[in-house]
Amino acid sequence: MCPALSRGLCPGKGLLGPSFMPGSSAEVQSSICIGAACSCFVRSVLLRAELVPQRLVQSLFPWLGSPSANLRLTATAFFAELVKDHLVEKKKLLKPLLKALLQRSRDPINTVRQMAMRGVGNMASGAPTKLRRHRAAVMEVLCRGLEDAASTEVAAECLLALTKVLGRLKTRAMGSALEDISRSTRAFLGAEEEVLRFSAFALYGTLASSALGRRSFFSREVEEAFPSLVLHLRGPAPAVSSACKVALHQCAPFLGSKRVQQRIAAGAGLSVAELQDKVCGHLAQDCPALLETLCSTARSCCMGSYQAPQAEAITVLGILLDMAPAERLQRWDLAFLWGAFANLVKSL
């Protein structure tokens, strides 16, 4: 652990988020901590005295173009945290800070790009009134980051940043980006990495809250996402399951079946396991179309190579086998299901 974190200068993993994970080098963790600690100090000065230490801020700008990856990372982490404070806007630092973060979003180092994406997302907290003015640049860089195949952490950071940004923007201000972001986010709902699934469910719930003015499109979108929202309710990671449950409740009003909507709404106080049982039971008895879609998605997960989605799919199929009428079970490939279960057991 870096000295800054151990002395309490950094507010722990809540500040560093997905980047501060086992496997990161000591140098990377230290650079992030130092940048964040410096930012915490500057923000404290901002809050208490409304006085920006301009020399400190200006002295770190050259680090962004340094050949040293650690210096670029330290400076980017510093600015990513600093931009959260609304006084940065008052002191006319927002424009140069945003420009610097956008530039670092193309850095060859994954963690530098991740910190840059975090800073762009933090603009929603520090300068919400200016977000609309810069929305084109902000949306472009975050949507590009979703396609960052070189780094899971960068993609996850973009999902979380978009959650913050879309929470401030109205649907009308998003334009056609809503459709692109929805489709991209849905692709991450079944990802192997927990951090991607958590971030995707968080963003998908925000998209549902923002899409009331685009009901026709998002209703079609939720039909595609619904199987994933049910499958991953009872996942191995509690944080992911909780985010999935929230997203399911936020997406429920867009489902075509009123009875399914009512079942989900009535299950707000249930555990994720109880809610999954309740929804699957209703689908097995009364919603053959949604049932078939869920079963098809579950079978695809069983044939995948990721253990967690395989286990979640087999759990759901087991619930459906227990609850579906006998006449529907006759159309199921029980040999395939048994084979998928046996393969999962062998892989453990």
Side-chain angles (χ1 to χ4, degrees), residues 75-138:
T76 307
F78 169 82
F79 291 131
E81 292 301 316
L82 187 63
V83 77
K84 286 199 295 191
D85 201 290
H86 68 280
L87 291 174
V88 169
E89 182 180 351
K90 291 184 179 179
K91 298 300 180 179
K92 299 182 179 179
L93 281 171
L94 177 63
K95 190 172 182 179
L97 286 178
L98 180 59
K99 180 179 179 181
L101 292 169
L102 293 177
Q103 290 174 342
R104 284 307 96 206
S105 72
R106 295 182 179 275
D107 196 278
I109 302 299
N110 292 347
T111 318
V112 176
R113 294 200 306 279
Q114 181 187 358
M115 290 296 102
M117 299 304 184
R118 182 175 300 184
V120 173
N122 284 343
M123 181 180 169
S125 301
T129 58
K130 296 293 180 65
L131 187 60
R132 186 180 297 271
R133 179 184 301 177
H134 298 286
R135 69 180 182 275
V138 168

Side-chain angles (χ1 to χ4, degrees), residues 5-37:
L5 184 61
S6 64
R7 291 197 302 269
L9 294 177
C10 300
K13 291 187 179 181
L15 172 64
L16 301 178
S19 66
F20 198 84
M21 298 175 68
S24 299
S25 71
E27 284 187 318
V28 167
Q29 292 184 355
S30 181
S31 295
I32 296 173
C33 273
I34 291 170

Side-chain angles (χ1 to χ4, degrees), residues 40-88:
C40 288
F41 169 77
V42 172
R43 289 175 65 211
S44 295
V45 174
L46 284 168
L47 289 169
R48 294 179 181 278
E50 295 197 8
L51 174 65
V52 178
Q54 296 278 4
R55 290 184 180 179
L56 175 59
V57 174
Q58 293 299 329
S59 68
L60 287 180
F61 271 110
W63 289 20
L64 293 168
S66 170
S68 167
N70 284 336
L71 287 180
R72 296 200 309 277
L73 178 55
T74 300
T76 307
F78 169 82
F79 291 131
E81 292 301 316
L82 187 63
V83 77
K84 286 199 295 191
D85 201 290
H86 68 280
L87 291 174
V88 169

Side-chain angles (χ1 to χ4, degrees), residues 18-343:
S19 66
F20 198 84
M21 298 175 68
S24 299
S25 71
E27 284 187 318
V28 167
Q29 292 184 355
S30 181
S31 295
I32 296 173
C33 273
I34 291 170
C38 291
S39 179
C40 288
F41 169 77
V42 172
R43 289 175 65 211
S44 295
V45 174
L46 284 168
L47 289 169
R48 294 179 181 278
E50 295 197 8
L51 174 65
V52 178
Q54 296 278 4
R55 290 184 180 179
L56 175 59
V57 174
Q58 293 299 329
S59 68
L60 287 180
F61 271 110
W63 289 20
L64 293 168
S66 170
S68 167
N70 284 336
L71 287 180
R72 296 200 309 277
L73 178 55
T74 300
T76 307
F78 169 82
F79 291 131
E81 292 301 316
L82 187 63
V83 77
K84 286 199 295 191
D85 201 290
H86 68 280
L87 291 174
V88 169
E89 182 180 351
K90 291 184 179 179
K91 298 300 180 179
K92 299 182 179 179
L93 281 171
L94 177 63
K95 190 172 182 179
L97 286 178
L98 180 59
K99 180 179 179 181
L101 292 169
L102 293 177
Q103 290 174 342
R104 284 307 96 206
S105 72
R106 295 182 179 275
D107 196 278
I109 302 299
N110 292 347
T111 318
V112 176
R113 294 200 306 279
Q114 181 187 358
M115 290 296 102
M117 299 304 184
R118 182 175 300 184
V120 173
N122 284 343
M123 181 180 169
S125 301
T129 58
K130 296 293 180 65
L131 187 60
R132 186 180 297 271
R133 179 184 301 177
H134 298 286
R135 69 180 182 275
V138 168
M139 298 298 285
E140 188 278 329
V141 72
L142 294 179
C143 289
R144 171 164 46 83
L146 291 179
E147 302 174 1
D148 195 325
S151 174
T152 295
E153 287 75 18
V154 172
E157 199 70 59
C158 288
L159 290 166
L160 292 175
L162 282 165
T163 302
K164 299 175 187 176
V165 169
L166 299 186
R168 297 285 186 177
L169 289 177
K170 295 181 179 179
T171 307
R172 186 171 51 191
M174 293 164 58
S176 61
L178 174 68
E179 299 183 14
D180 295 334
I181 294 169
S182 299
R183 295 188 184 104
S184 296
T185 304
R186 175 159 48 85
F188 289 113
L189 297 180
E192 178 183 15
E193 298 85 355
E194 289 179 0
V195 66
L196 278 176
R197 295 204 305 277
F198 171 81
S199 304
F201 284 126
L203 176 55
Y204 210 79
T206 299
L207 286 166
S209 300
S210 304
L212 294 177
R214 301 287 298 278
R215 189 172 188 87
S216 177
F217 160 74
F218 208 72
S219 293
R220 296 192 301 272
E221 178 62 36
V222 169
E223 286 182 11
E224 297 288 334
F226 179 71
S228 294
L229 294 171
V230 176
L231 279 172
H232 301 299
L233 270 174
R234 201 182 325 213
V240 178
S241 295
S242 179
C244 180
K245 180 183 178 183
V246 172
L248 178 62
H249 279 283
Q250 290 171 317
C251 291
F254 294 93
L255 289 169
S257 170
K258 291 290 185 182
R259 295 187 67 182
V260 176
Q261 291 181 27
Q262 292 168 356
R263 288 289 195 283
I264 294 172
L270 300 178
S271 68
V272 289
E274 291 170 333
L275 178 60
Q276 188 180 64
D277 289 344
K278 189 180 185 72
V279 172
C280 287
H282 179 67
L283 297 182
Q285 296 293 330
D286 300 317
C287 296
L290 285 176
L291 174 66
E292 182 55 38
T293 302
L294 178 59
C295 290
S296 176
T297 304
R299 286 194 292 266
S300 296
C301 288
C302 288
M303 292 186 290
S305 57
Y306 303 149
Q307 285 187 0
Q310 282 180 336
E312 292 165 2
I314 289 174
T315 298
V316 166
L317 289 171
I319 296 170
L320 295 174
L321 279 171
D322 187 47
M323 297 182 173
E327 61 271 17
R328 288 179 185 165
L329 292 179
Q330 294 175 1
R331 300 197 298 270
W332 287 29
D333 189 347
L334 298 182
F336 165 80
L337 297 180
W338 177 251
F341 175 72
N343 290 334

